[in-house]
Amino acid sequence: NGAQCRLPFYEASGIGKQKEKWGNEKNYDKADELIQSYCEEIMTKTRIVDTGNTIIDAIFNTKITANKNINFILNLKIKENFKIQANDIITLLGNLIDNACESINRDYDSCDLKVNLIITEEMFLLKISNPYKTIKTEGDRILTLKKDTYNHGIGLKSVNRIVSNYGGTVDINTD
């Protein structure tokens, strides 16, 4: 069970809105600067994962700290100078890890969550494996189990959009 993203080559409350605003104005540098400062703030408070990439470290450290009942098994290989925008990394990792954690927290008292992440100049490969007991589908789409479907259920759409923008593929296996 898991999700895998292959690419060839809303994390915090206030930051998401600023990122959207600056992203729409094509001011990616300003958005990245804000994201970087947020990540550095997180890293000064807790440091469990240290890949050398502040944004990736902040995402994993935040998720691990917030989900103490989940045993994160990480295989992270991050090269410098990769070509993926910071806001795309946050959306990809944030949504997929959140989905896995929510599934585990809903269905299990404690469990393993396996994450393999390889980023080079040419490739982004993310594989997340987690057990689940409950899943809701419509055709080949996975739907949110939350009651508020208006404000939830867009994470995988965002992941698919981003991966498509980079010419990659998303493969979700529910076997």
Side-chain angles (χ1 to χ4, degrees):
N1 309 339
Q4 184 168 312
C5 300
R6 294 177 195 260
L7 302 181
F9 64 107
Y10 88 164
E11 187 50 37
S13 57
I15 287 179
K17 295 198 185 314
Q18 290 299 321
K19 184 180 68 175
E20 259 179 34
K21 176 183 168 193
W22 290 324
N24 291 340
E25 294 174 4
K26 305 288 190 231
N27 192 345
Y28 298 115
D29 291 338
K30 187 68 175 168
D32 283 347
E33 182 182 309
L34 182 63
I35 291 167
Q36 188 73 24
S37 69
Y38 167 70
C39 292
E40 287 170 3
E41 180 182 328
I42 289 173
M43 291 303 294
T44 59
K45 294 179 181 174
T46 179
R47 182 168 298 225
I48 301 165
V49 173
D50 187 1
T51 65
N53 182 287
T54 312
I55 293 168
I56 292 170
D57 294 347
I59 293 168
F60 279 106
N61 288 322
T62 302
K63 303 305 180 190
I64 291 168
T65 302
N67 294 282
K68 297 206 180 289
N69 62 316
I70 297 175
N71 179 32
F72 283 76
I73 301 170
L74 306 176
N75 177 24
L76 310 174
K77 295 179 178 138
I78 315 300
K79 300 288 184 188
E80 293 182 29
N81 302 321
F82 54 84
K83 300 172 185 171
I84 302 169
Q85 295 288 321
N87 56 326
D88 291 339
I89 290 282
I90 290 170
T91 301
L92 290 169
L93 290 177
N95 278 305
L96 293 173
I97 294 170
D98 281 350
N99 287 353
C101 289
E102 288 171 10
S103 176
I104 290 170
N105 287 326
R106 181 184 54 248
D107 294 339
Y108 302 92
D109 292 331
S110 66
C111 204
D112 290 347
L113 172 60
K114 298 176 185 173
V115 180
N116 292 298
L117 175 62
I118 300 168
I119 304 177
T120 66
E121 289 181 18
E122 299 84 27
M123 179 183 64
F124 176 100
L125 176 62
L126 172 63
K127 182 176 182 181
I128 298 176
S129 301
N130 64 282
Y132 64 91
K133 292 180 182 175
T134 310
I135 190 168
K136 183 177 177 183
T137 61
E138 183 178 276
D140 61 349
R141 292 180 42 227
I142 296 175
L143 305 175
T144 185
L145 293 172
K146 295 176 181 166
K147 291 181 184 189
D148 180 5
T149 57
Y150 181 77
N151 291 309
H152 297 283
I154 60 171
L156 287 178
K157 289 178 192 173
S158 298
V159 167
N160 280 307
R161 178 186 46 77
I162 290 167
V163 171
S164 177
N165 287 345
Y166 286 94
T169 60
V170 176
D171 183 25
I172 299 176
N173 180 352
T174 58
D175 295 332

